[in-house]
Amino acid sequence: MMQLKKELFAPVKRDLDQERIVRPSLNYWQDAWRRLKKNKLAMTGLIILILLTLFAIFAPFISSYDYATQDYDVTNQKPSLEHLFGTDQFGRDLWVRIWWGTRISLFIGLAAAVIDLIVGVLYGGISGYLGGRVDNIMQRASEIVYSIPFLLVTILLIMYLEPGISTIIIAYSITGWVPMARLVRGQVLQMKEQEYVLAARTLGAKPLRIILKHLIPNALGIIVVQITFVVPNAIFVEAFLSFIGLGIKPPLASLGSLVSDGAQTMRFYPHQMLLPTAVFSLILLSFNLLGDGLRDALDPKMRK
Amino acid sequence: MSEKKQPTKILDVKDLKVSFKTYAGEIQAVRGVSFDLYKGEVLAIVGESGCGKSVTAQTIMRLVPSPPSFIKEGSITFDNKSDITKLSERAMEKIRGSEMGMIFQDPMTSLNPTMTIGKQIAEGLIKHQGLNKEQAAERSVEMLRLVGISNPEGRIKQYPHELSGGMRQRIMIAIALACSPKLLIADEPTTALDVTIQAQIIELMQKLQEKTETAIILITHDLGVVADMAQRVVVMYAGKIVEEGSVDDIFYNPKHPYTWGLLKSVPRLDLEHKSDLVPIPGTPPDLFAPPKGCAFAARCPYAMDICLQQDPDKFEVTNQHKAACWLLHPDAPAVEPPVGKGGKVHA
Amino acid sequence: MPDNILEVRGLKKHFDLGKGALKAVDGLNFEIRRGETLGLVGESGCGKSTVGKTLIRLYEPTEGEIVFNGKSVSKMNAKEQREFTRNMQMVFQDPYASLNPRMTVGDIIAEGIDIHGLYKGKKRKERVLQLLADVGLNPEHAGRFPHEFSGGQRQRIGIARALAIEPQFIIADEPISALDVSVQAQVINLFQNLQKQHGLTYLFIAHDLAMVKHISDRIGVMYLGKLVELTTSEELYANPLHPYTQSLLSAIPIPDPDVERTRERIILEGEVPSPLNPPSGCPFRTRCPHAMQVCAETMPPMKEIKPGHITACHLY
């Protein structure tokens, strides 16, 4: 047996803190942010999105050109110091037009997110929380809405309204919120049986308090993730509509209409199509990378 | 009891260390565990959640997903043959289900919901014992009868969801024992069951064990089940074995303060007077950053300076009864154990 | 104030499942005396948790009367109802699901204080710290989130939340079944100390008969939605009358190898029948070793066999 000093066998006089917590304190969002920061792809997506947004907001202001003025002296120019992205067949500056298009794409995405947050979250939340007959009726109603093809709604709307941003947004508001409503309803149905909600009820909490303090904060993570997938989807739909001529009206440009215009002259001036396509792809890619990263960061099942 | 003649060693675990890699760093779930198991023996591994008992058992079956887990050190010799920690996944598949069987806590998640009971029992028989379909079906019926399921010919055509929890656990036992394994690992086999069903399952396992002489590792936190089934007991705390011995050693002559704590904190149904329960204060350490000395020191009422500085060795009480506690060092002050013969509380 | 804090008369709770009613609780009569602990035991699906949730009005009873402090709950006006809510609280089973993961421990404990507007500002903070100390947690824990705590610590937070509005009566629904053995004792001792300090009355629902016997003054045994036996905990263990209670007691393994080696067991055949389609007459007759003709025909009434020992069995 090894030699040990006798003093070591004195009982410790102590007040060892048995309830000590060794890990640092982090709340849900801090923890998620910490995890997101470690995800290089998601952070790349986030930084690209911030840069693109800044360009979309400020680039058209700083440039001396605007998106509409035609200049037949400089049609179809290659990228140069004067025109960073060159010009199109009407001599309009593509740099400005592309950032204008980005602005419109991002605006459509933002609008879709707002509609989802207001209509989708409320509809799903109410349907799930009230349950029973109300839930049944609300679910059937949303299924009917969702069964109308989006393209049909858009084409019908364009017959009555002008093609443009507002028409696309209206078309989206009619059907686009249903997946979010379903997601939130599912979450709420599950959460309202959780013991912490029951505990709040036994303490005498009213429904409004339960929704604001318990249900919404706990569904927020999943809502944020859903939003990051809704936004690129809406951007894609707008681009698609503009590409087939149902979207933005010239001289206003969106990324979709720019790609469409560029496609016509692709064989002679490939940059007219490639540049808007690149920006467009970058937006979608960044949103998807960020969305995947957020899902990993916010998913409670990944927490330890 | 088990220590007669020349018992065959089924399993020899030496200095096993298993860790999990997580975002925050390494969690040392098992921190140097050694024990052995002989033919026909029931060894209970007792401890609280997170003490590493399930990870140890699953590592023997090589069922812990890697990554995030990895075996840092140690060896597991099964049946005097190869070291399990070094076997390929393909070699393990041959052993699993034929030479080693496992029963889990939740029979619903461990049965395949899309396959009939009969197919699930026959699967292993066809794969490992080369039986044809008819032979396997016949043997499945036999197995079901063995685990006490009435009308086995009808039952083999049913799906898991059509059966109750107790019934499913019987099926799990039938699957685990179908190929007559040398080793059965039962991870909390009765925890999810009601007491009257638990009694049925314990009785069944005891009967089958007598018949087949399969060695069993029983993982549980229920000391009642341990007293009922086991011959030898290993007590784990924070990824290490703190005490091991025969059931009588552990229940009547325990040496480690953690074992004392476990025995004192459960109420006894059969004792007349209501003595106060003596809980172990505090919570187990976070294995993300295990303490320097003895992991139990922070909760131990007898802790000494050395306990905070150095992890204790295993001290031998008898050749089969060992405890890792500095109180057993000759220089340590004598402590009157608060529990002893009869499991009655002296306090 | 009446001696009985709670009286339950003919309580029924049926769930409509479309294909038929699930009779989770089917005609319960009992009373709880002020200051006592009544244990309610039974196996999963026997309806014991439904009893607790119906008493605290998380479920609307299908039939029957609940009398709290001498007043029928269904006849209370809004003010009395608020008073009732404050006086009856619940501690839940799952320490991981019963605390809102997005709220700090301080806010969780203060939820009842906020809802009833009991304290504000500095007073509220003091009260939260006091409650934390009462359940043996550090004051600095108030700013942390539930996921940072162990199961036992969380359960103590749940107890502090229930205590915050100073109830007279607490329903504990399997409060220790998700905890480790050594931690169970901490929580049980806490329950007992709080009872002494605040003169609380408990309904303690659990399936661990040893623990229920330890904490309860009287115990009720349930089987398939019905109460089959009710008496003091010593009497229940020493002289169980109902065959179900007898087999339940003998099924529990005792942590003592010598006792286990010599003990004779009554091992019940089969499993609990589905509450959707319960047997006629006595619900236990399909597994009862003493079943007679009459058991299939009528449900035996609750009878007082000895003073303070009630059972529902045709044998007596």
Short mmCIF file of all heavy atoms in Angstrom, two decimals, chain A residues 1 4 8-12 14, chain B residues 242-243 254-261 294 296-297 299-308 310-317 323-338:
data_model
loop_
_atom_site.label_atom_id
_atom_site.label_comp_id
_atom_site.label_asym_id
_atom_site.label_seq_id
_atom_site.Cartn_x
_atom_site.Cartn_y
_atom_site.Cartn_z
N MET A 1 0.84 -1.22 0.00
CA MET A 1 0.00 0.00 0.00
C MET A 1 0.86 1.25 0.00
O MET A 1 1.87 1.31 0.69
CB MET A 1 -0.90 -0.02 1.24
CG MET A 1 -1.97 1.03 1.19
SD MET A 1 -3.40 0.55 2.16
CE MET A 1 -4.08 -0.78 1.19
N LEU A 4 0.73 7.46 2.50
CA LEU A 4 -0.04 8.71 2.42
C LEU A 4 0.09 9.41 3.75
O LEU A 4 0.12 8.77 4.80
CB LEU A 4 -1.51 8.41 2.13
CG LEU A 4 -1.81 7.90 0.72
CD1 LEU A 4 -3.16 7.26 0.69
CD2 LEU A 4 -1.71 9.03 -0.28
N LEU A 8 -4.04 13.72 5.80
CA LEU A 8 -5.02 13.69 4.72
C LEU A 8 -6.31 13.02 5.14
O LEU A 8 -7.35 13.18 4.50
CB LEU A 8 -4.43 12.95 3.52
CG LEU A 8 -3.42 13.74 2.70
CD1 LEU A 8 -2.80 12.85 1.66
CD2 LEU A 8 -4.10 14.93 2.04
N PHE A 9 -6.24 12.23 6.22
CA PHE A 9 -7.44 11.49 6.61
C PHE A 9 -8.28 12.23 7.64
O PHE A 9 -9.14 11.65 8.28
CB PHE A 9 -7.05 10.10 7.09
CG PHE A 9 -6.60 9.23 5.96
CD1 PHE A 9 -5.27 9.15 5.60
CD2 PHE A 9 -7.54 8.53 5.20
CE1 PHE A 9 -4.88 8.38 4.53
CE2 PHE A 9 -7.15 7.76 4.13
CZ PHE A 9 -5.81 7.67 3.79
N ALA A 10 -8.02 13.51 7.77
CA ALA A 10 -8.89 14.30 8.63
C ALA A 10 -10.18 14.60 7.87
O ALA A 10 -10.14 14.95 6.70
CB ALA A 10 -8.19 15.60 9.00
N PRO A 11 -11.32 14.45 8.55
CA PRO A 11 -12.57 14.80 7.87
C PRO A 11 -12.55 16.25 7.43
O PRO A 11 -12.02 17.11 8.14
CB PRO A 11 -13.64 14.56 8.95
CG PRO A 11 -13.01 13.66 9.94
CD PRO A 11 -11.54 13.94 9.90
N VAL A 12 -13.12 16.54 6.27
CA VAL A 12 -13.11 17.92 5.80
C VAL A 12 -14.10 18.74 6.58
O VAL A 12 -15.24 18.34 6.80
CB VAL A 12 -13.45 18.04 4.30
CG1 VAL A 12 -12.20 18.07 3.48
CG2 VAL A 12 -14.38 16.94 3.86
N ARG A 14 -16.22 21.67 6.08
CA ARG A 14 -16.54 22.31 4.82
C ARG A 14 -18.04 22.52 4.73
O ARG A 14 -18.83 21.97 5.47
CB ARG A 14 -16.14 21.43 3.65
CG ARG A 14 -16.55 19.98 3.90
CD ARG A 14 -17.55 19.45 3.00
NE ARG A 14 -18.11 18.20 3.51
CZ ARG A 14 -18.39 17.18 2.76
NH1 ARG A 14 -18.12 17.22 1.50
NH2 ARG A 14 -18.96 16.13 3.28
N VAL B 242 -18.07 1.76 -7.53
CA VAL B 242 -17.67 2.15 -6.18
C VAL B 242 -17.66 0.96 -5.23
O VAL B 242 -16.95 0.96 -4.25
CB VAL B 242 -18.55 3.29 -5.62
CG1 VAL B 242 -18.35 4.57 -6.41
CG2 VAL B 242 -20.01 2.91 -5.58
N GLU B 243 -18.49 -0.05 -5.53
CA GLU B 243 -18.49 -1.22 -4.66
C GLU B 243 -18.97 -2.43 -5.44
O GLU B 243 -19.84 -2.31 -6.32
CB GLU B 243 -19.39 -0.99 -3.43
CG GLU B 243 -19.31 -2.12 -2.43
CD GLU B 243 -19.81 -1.73 -1.03
OE1 GLU B 243 -20.30 -0.61 -0.88
OE2 GLU B 243 -19.70 -2.57 -0.12
N PRO B 254 -22.41 -3.44 3.60
CA PRO B 254 -21.91 -2.50 2.61
C PRO B 254 -20.80 -1.65 3.18
O PRO B 254 -20.78 -1.37 4.38
CB PRO B 254 -23.14 -1.65 2.27
CG PRO B 254 -23.99 -1.72 3.48
CD PRO B 254 -23.75 -3.07 4.08
N LYS B 255 -19.85 -1.25 2.33
CA LYS B 255 -18.69 -0.50 2.81
C LYS B 255 -18.60 0.91 2.25
O LYS B 255 -17.88 1.73 2.78
CB LYS B 255 -17.39 -1.26 2.43
CG LYS B 255 -17.23 -2.57 3.16
CD LYS B 255 -16.98 -2.34 4.64
CE LYS B 255 -16.80 -3.66 5.38
NZ LYS B 255 -16.91 -3.49 6.84
N HIS B 256 -19.27 1.16 1.16
CA HIS B 256 -19.13 2.49 0.54
C HIS B 256 -20.29 3.40 0.99
O HIS B 256 -21.45 2.97 0.97
CB HIS B 256 -19.14 2.35 -0.98
CG HIS B 256 -18.59 3.56 -1.67
ND1 HIS B 256 -19.31 4.73 -1.78
CD2 HIS B 256 -17.39 3.79 -2.25
CE1 HIS B 256 -18.57 5.63 -2.42
NE2 HIS B 256 -17.40 5.08 -2.72
N PRO B 257 -19.97 4.65 1.36
CA PRO B 257 -21.04 5.55 1.80
C PRO B 257 -22.14 5.75 0.75
O PRO B 257 -23.29 6.01 1.12
CB PRO B 257 -20.30 6.87 2.05
CG PRO B 257 -18.90 6.47 2.33
CD PRO B 257 -18.64 5.23 1.52
N TYR B 258 -21.80 5.61 -0.52
CA TYR B 258 -22.86 5.75 -1.53
C TYR B 258 -23.83 4.59 -1.44
O TYR B 258 -25.05 4.78 -1.53
CB TYR B 258 -22.25 5.83 -2.94
CG TYR B 258 -23.31 5.91 -4.01
CD1 TYR B 258 -24.14 7.02 -4.10
CD2 TYR B 258 -23.49 4.88 -4.93
CE1 TYR B 258 -25.13 7.10 -5.07
CE2 TYR B 258 -24.46 4.95 -5.91
CZ TYR B 258 -25.28 6.06 -5.97
OH TYR B 258 -26.25 6.14 -6.92
N THR B 259 -23.31 3.36 -1.23
CA THR B 259 -24.20 2.21 -1.06
C THR B 259 -25.07 2.40 0.18
O THR B 259 -26.26 2.11 0.17
CB THR B 259 -23.37 0.92 -0.94
OG1 THR B 259 -22.34 0.94 -1.91
CG2 THR B 259 -24.23 -0.30 -1.14
N TRP B 260 -24.43 2.92 1.24
CA TRP B 260 -25.23 3.20 2.46
C TRP B 260 -26.36 4.16 2.11
O TRP B 260 -27.49 3.98 2.52
CB TRP B 260 -24.35 3.86 3.55
CG TRP B 260 -23.22 3.00 4.02
CD1 TRP B 260 -23.10 1.65 3.85
CD2 TRP B 260 -22.05 3.44 4.72
NE1 TRP B 260 -21.93 1.23 4.40
CE2 TRP B 260 -21.26 2.28 4.95
CE3 TRP B 260 -21.62 4.67 5.19
CZ2 TRP B 260 -20.06 2.35 5.62
CZ3 TRP B 260 -20.41 4.73 5.87
CH2 TRP B 260 -19.62 3.57 6.07
N GLY B 261 -26.01 5.20 1.37
CA GLY B 261 -27.00 6.21 1.01
C GLY B 261 -28.15 5.61 0.22
O GLY B 261 -29.32 5.89 0.48
N CYS B 294 -12.45 11.77 -5.30
CA CYS B 294 -13.58 10.84 -5.35
C CYS B 294 -14.82 11.59 -5.82
O CYS B 294 -15.14 12.66 -5.30
CB CYS B 294 -13.81 10.24 -3.97
SG CYS B 294 -15.34 9.31 -3.83
N PHE B 296 -17.81 11.06 -5.36
CA PHE B 296 -18.91 11.12 -4.39
C PHE B 296 -18.61 12.08 -3.23
O PHE B 296 -19.49 12.41 -2.44
CB PHE B 296 -19.19 9.71 -3.86
CG PHE B 296 -20.42 9.61 -3.00
CD1 PHE B 296 -21.67 9.95 -3.52
CD2 PHE B 296 -20.34 9.21 -1.68
CE1 PHE B 296 -22.81 9.88 -2.73
CE2 PHE B 296 -21.47 9.14 -0.88
CZ PHE B 296 -22.71 9.47 -1.41
N ALA B 297 -17.36 12.55 -3.15
CA ALA B 297 -16.93 13.32 -1.97
C ALA B 297 -17.85 14.49 -1.66
O ALA B 297 -18.19 14.74 -0.50
CB ALA B 297 -15.51 13.80 -2.18
N ARG B 299 -20.89 14.83 -1.90
CA ARG B 299 -22.17 14.48 -1.28
C ARG B 299 -21.97 13.57 -0.07
O ARG B 299 -22.94 13.12 0.53
CB ARG B 299 -23.06 13.75 -2.30
CG ARG B 299 -23.32 14.56 -3.55
CD ARG B 299 -24.03 13.72 -4.60
NE ARG B 299 -25.43 13.52 -4.29
CZ ARG B 299 -26.22 12.67 -4.96
NH1 ARG B 299 -25.74 11.94 -5.94
NH2 ARG B 299 -27.49 12.54 -4.62
N CYS B 300 -20.72 13.26 0.24
CA CYS B 300 -20.43 12.24 1.25
C CYS B 300 -20.30 12.88 2.63
O CYS B 300 -19.51 13.81 2.82
CB CYS B 300 -19.14 11.52 0.89
SG CYS B 300 -18.70 10.24 2.07
N PRO B 301 -21.06 12.41 3.61
CA PRO B 301 -20.97 12.98 4.96
C PRO B 301 -19.65 12.64 5.66
O PRO B 301 -19.32 13.23 6.68
CB PRO B 301 -22.16 12.37 5.69
CG PRO B 301 -22.57 11.19 4.92
CD PRO B 301 -22.12 11.40 3.51
N TYR B 302 -18.91 11.66 5.13
CA TYR B 302 -17.68 11.24 5.78
C TYR B 302 -16.43 11.72 5.04
O TYR B 302 -15.34 11.24 5.28
CB TYR B 302 -17.63 9.71 5.89
CG TYR B 302 -18.90 9.12 6.43
CD1 TYR B 302 -19.87 8.57 5.59
CD2 TYR B 302 -19.14 9.12 7.81
CE1 TYR B 302 -21.05 8.05 6.09
CE2 TYR B 302 -20.32 8.59 8.32
CZ TYR B 302 -21.28 8.06 7.46
OH TYR B 302 -22.43 7.55 7.97
N ALA B 303 -16.61 12.65 4.11
CA ALA B 303 -15.50 13.04 3.24
C ALA B 303 -14.29 13.54 4.05
O ALA B 303 -14.44 14.24 5.05
CB ALA B 303 -15.96 14.11 2.26
N MET B 304 -13.10 13.15 3.60
CA MET B 304 -11.85 13.58 4.23
C MET B 304 -11.08 14.40 3.20
O MET B 304 -11.43 14.43 2.03
CB MET B 304 -11.04 12.35 4.65
CG MET B 304 -11.80 11.47 5.62
SD MET B 304 -10.98 9.91 5.95
CE MET B 304 -11.22 8.99 4.46
N ASP B 305 -10.00 15.01 3.68
CA ASP B 305 -9.21 15.84 2.76
C ASP B 305 -8.73 15.04 1.55
O ASP B 305 -8.77 15.52 0.42
CB ASP B 305 -7.99 16.42 3.49
CG ASP B 305 -8.40 17.59 4.37
OD1 ASP B 305 -9.42 18.21 4.03
OD2 ASP B 305 -7.74 17.84 5.39
N ILE B 306 -8.32 13.81 1.81
CA ILE B 306 -7.76 13.03 0.71
C ILE B 306 -8.80 12.74 -0.37
O ILE B 306 -8.48 12.65 -1.55
CB ILE B 306 -7.14 11.71 1.24
CG1 ILE B 306 -6.46 10.99 0.09
CG2 ILE B 306 -8.20 10.81 1.87
CD1 ILE B 306 -5.35 10.11 0.50
N CYS B 307 -10.06 12.65 0.06
CA CYS B 307 -11.12 12.33 -0.90
C CYS B 307 -11.25 13.42 -1.97
O CYS B 307 -11.67 13.15 -3.09
CB CYS B 307 -12.47 12.19 -0.19
SG CYS B 307 -12.44 11.01 1.15
N LEU B 308 -10.90 14.65 -1.57
CA LEU B 308 -11.02 15.74 -2.53
C LEU B 308 -9.80 15.81 -3.44
O LEU B 308 -9.83 16.47 -4.47
CB LEU B 308 -11.17 17.07 -1.78
CG LEU B 308 -12.37 17.16 -0.86
CD1 LEU B 308 -12.37 18.46 -0.09
CD2 LEU B 308 -13.66 17.01 -1.64
N GLN B 310 -7.57 12.88 -4.22
CA GLN B 310 -7.14 11.68 -4.93
C GLN B 310 -8.27 10.68 -5.00
O GLN B 310 -8.99 10.46 -4.03
CB GLN B 310 -5.97 11.07 -4.17
CG GLN B 310 -5.02 10.32 -5.03
CD GLN B 310 -3.82 9.85 -4.23
OE1 GLN B 310 -3.39 10.50 -3.27
NE2 GLN B 310 -3.29 8.72 -4.59
N ASP B 311 -8.44 10.08 -6.18
CA ASP B 311 -9.47 9.09 -6.37
C ASP B 311 -9.06 7.82 -5.62
O ASP B 311 -7.94 7.37 -5.76
CB ASP B 311 -9.60 8.82 -7.87
CG ASP B 311 -11.01 8.42 -8.22
OD1 ASP B 311 -11.89 8.55 -7.36
OD2 ASP B 311 -11.23 7.97 -9.34
N PRO B 312 -9.92 7.24 -4.79
CA PRO B 312 -9.52 6.07 -4.01
C PRO B 312 -9.32 4.83 -4.87
O PRO B 312 -9.97 4.66 -5.90
CB PRO B 312 -10.69 5.88 -3.05
CG PRO B 312 -11.85 6.53 -3.71
CD PRO B 312 -11.31 7.65 -4.51
N ASP B 313 -8.42 3.94 -4.42
CA ASP B 313 -8.25 2.63 -5.06
C ASP B 313 -9.37 1.73 -4.59
O ASP B 313 -10.08 2.03 -3.65
CB ASP B 313 -6.93 1.98 -4.60
CG ASP B 313 -5.75 2.80 -5.02
OD1 ASP B 313 -5.80 3.33 -6.13
OD2 ASP B 313 -4.80 2.91 -4.21
N LYS B 314 -9.44 0.56 -5.24
CA LYS B 314 -10.36 -0.46 -4.74
C LYS B 314 -9.70 -1.15 -3.56
O LYS B 314 -8.60 -1.67 -3.68
CB LYS B 314 -10.64 -1.46 -5.84
CG LYS B 314 -11.90 -1.14 -6.62
CD LYS B 314 -12.26 -2.28 -7.53
CE LYS B 314 -13.26 -1.82 -8.56
NZ LYS B 314 -13.45 -2.82 -9.61
N PHE B 315 -10.36 -1.15 -2.43
CA PHE B 315 -9.87 -1.88 -1.28
C PHE B 315 -10.62 -3.20 -1.19
O PHE B 315 -11.83 -3.24 -1.36
CB PHE B 315 -10.11 -1.08 0.01
CG PHE B 315 -9.26 0.15 0.11
CD1 PHE B 315 -9.72 1.36 -0.38
CD2 PHE B 315 -8.00 0.09 0.69
CE1 PHE B 315 -8.93 2.50 -0.29
CE2 PHE B 315 -7.21 1.22 0.78
CZ PHE B 315 -7.68 2.43 0.29
N GLU B 316 -9.88 -4.28 -0.90
CA GLU B 316 -10.53 -5.59 -0.79
C GLU B 316 -11.03 -5.81 0.63
O GLU B 316 -10.28 -5.67 1.58
CB GLU B 316 -9.54 -6.70 -1.15
CG GLU B 316 -9.39 -6.88 -2.63
CD GLU B 316 -8.79 -8.23 -3.00
OE1 GLU B 316 -8.65 -9.10 -2.09
OE2 GLU B 316 -8.46 -8.41 -4.17
N VAL B 317 -12.29 -6.14 0.76
CA VAL B 317 -12.84 -6.50 2.05
C VAL B 317 -12.69 -8.02 2.20
O VAL B 317 -12.14 -8.52 3.17
CB VAL B 317 -14.31 -6.07 2.17
CG1 VAL B 317 -14.84 -6.40 3.56
CG2 VAL B 317 -14.47 -4.60 1.85
N ALA B 323 -14.44 -2.30 -2.36
CA ALA B 323 -15.06 -0.98 -2.37
C ALA B 323 -13.99 0.08 -2.61
O ALA B 323 -12.87 -0.05 -2.11
CB ALA B 323 -15.77 -0.71 -1.06
N ALA B 324 -14.32 1.08 -3.38
CA ALA B 324 -13.38 2.15 -3.67
C ALA B 324 -13.70 3.32 -2.75
O ALA B 324 -14.48 4.20 -3.09
CB ALA B 324 -13.48 2.57 -5.13
N CYS B 325 -13.12 3.29 -1.55
CA CYS B 325 -13.40 4.35 -0.58
C CYS B 325 -12.23 4.49 0.37
O CYS B 325 -11.70 3.50 0.87
CB CYS B 325 -14.67 4.02 0.20
SG CYS B 325 -15.02 5.26 1.45
N TRP B 326 -11.82 5.75 0.60
CA TRP B 326 -10.68 5.99 1.49
C TRP B 326 -10.96 5.59 2.94
O TRP B 326 -10.05 5.43 3.73
CB TRP B 326 -10.26 7.45 1.45
CG TRP B 326 -9.53 7.81 0.18
CD1 TRP B 326 -9.93 8.68 -0.77
CD2 TRP B 326 -8.26 7.31 -0.25
NE1 TRP B 326 -9.02 8.76 -1.79
CE2 TRP B 326 -7.97 7.92 -1.48
CE3 TRP B 326 -7.35 6.40 0.28
CZ2 TRP B 326 -6.81 7.66 -2.19
CZ3 TRP B 326 -6.19 6.13 -0.43
CH2 TRP B 326 -5.92 6.76 -1.65
N LEU B 327 -12.23 5.41 3.30
CA LEU B 327 -12.54 5.01 4.67
C LEU B 327 -11.96 3.63 4.99
O LEU B 327 -11.78 3.28 6.16
CB LEU B 327 -14.06 4.96 4.88
CG LEU B 327 -14.79 6.29 5.02
CD1 LEU B 327 -16.28 6.05 5.15
CD2 LEU B 327 -14.27 7.06 6.23
N LEU B 328 -11.68 2.84 3.95
CA LEU B 328 -11.15 1.51 4.18
C LEU B 328 -9.63 1.52 4.34
O LEU B 328 -9.03 0.49 4.62
CB LEU B 328 -11.55 0.59 3.02
CG LEU B 328 -13.05 0.34 2.90
CD1 LEU B 328 -13.38 -0.42 1.64
CD2 LEU B 328 -13.56 -0.43 4.12
N HIS B 329 -8.99 2.66 4.17
CA HIS B 329 -7.56 2.79 4.36
C HIS B 329 -7.26 2.66 5.86
O HIS B 329 -8.01 3.17 6.68
CB HIS B 329 -7.10 4.15 3.83
CG HIS B 329 -5.62 4.28 3.73
ND1 HIS B 329 -4.86 4.64 4.80
CD2 HIS B 329 -4.77 4.10 2.69
CE1 HIS B 329 -3.58 4.68 4.42
NE2 HIS B 329 -3.51 4.36 3.13
N PRO B 330 -6.17 1.98 6.22
CA PRO B 330 -5.90 1.79 7.66
C PRO B 330 -5.78 3.10 8.44
O PRO B 330 -6.06 3.12 9.65
CB PRO B 330 -4.58 1.01 7.67
CG PRO B 330 -4.11 0.93 6.27
CD PRO B 330 -5.24 1.22 5.38
N ASP B 331 -5.37 4.18 7.79
CA ASP B 331 -5.22 5.44 8.51
C ASP B 331 -6.52 6.20 8.70
O ASP B 331 -6.57 7.20 9.41
CB ASP B 331 -4.24 6.35 7.74
CG ASP B 331 -2.81 5.82 7.87
OD1 ASP B 331 -2.57 5.02 8.79
OD2 ASP B 331 -1.97 6.20 7.04
N ALA B 332 -7.56 5.75 8.03
CA ALA B 332 -8.82 6.49 8.09
C ALA B 332 -9.51 6.28 9.44
O ALA B 332 -9.33 5.22 10.07
CB ALA B 332 -9.74 6.04 6.97
N PRO B 333 -10.25 7.27 9.90
CA PRO B 333 -10.98 7.10 11.16
C PRO B 333 -12.05 6.02 11.00
O PRO B 333 -12.58 5.82 9.91
CB PRO B 333 -11.62 8.47 11.40
CG PRO B 333 -11.65 9.13 10.08
CD PRO B 333 -10.49 8.59 9.30
N ALA B 334 -12.33 5.32 12.10
CA ALA B 334 -13.36 4.29 12.04
C ALA B 334 -14.73 4.93 11.97
O ALA B 334 -15.02 5.87 12.68
CB ALA B 334 -13.26 3.39 13.27
N VAL B 335 -15.54 4.42 11.08
CA VAL B 335 -16.89 4.97 10.94
C VAL B 335 -17.88 3.83 11.14
O VAL B 335 -17.73 2.75 10.57
CB VAL B 335 -17.07 5.59 9.53
CG1 VAL B 335 -18.53 5.85 9.25
CG2 VAL B 335 -16.27 6.87 9.40
N GLU B 336 -18.87 4.09 11.97
CA GLU B 336 -19.92 3.09 12.19
C GLU B 336 -20.90 3.17 11.03
O GLU B 336 -21.55 4.19 10.83
CB GLU B 336 -20.63 3.42 13.51
CG GLU B 336 -21.88 2.62 13.79
CD GLU B 336 -21.59 1.18 14.21
OE1 GLU B 336 -20.41 0.84 14.48
OE2 GLU B 336 -22.55 0.40 14.24
N PRO B 337 -21.00 2.10 10.21
CA PRO B 337 -21.92 2.20 9.07
C PRO B 337 -23.37 2.34 9.53
O PRO B 337 -23.77 1.67 10.49
CB PRO B 337 -21.70 0.89 8.31
CG PRO B 337 -20.93 0.01 9.21
CD PRO B 337 -20.33 0.82 10.31
N PRO B 338 -24.11 3.21 8.91
CA PRO B 338 -25.49 3.45 9.34
C PRO B 338 -26.45 2.36 8.89
O PRO B 338 -27.60 2.35 9.30
CB PRO B 338 -25.85 4.78 8.66
CG PRO B 338 -24.96 4.84 7.47
CD PRO B 338 -23.72 4.08 7.79
#
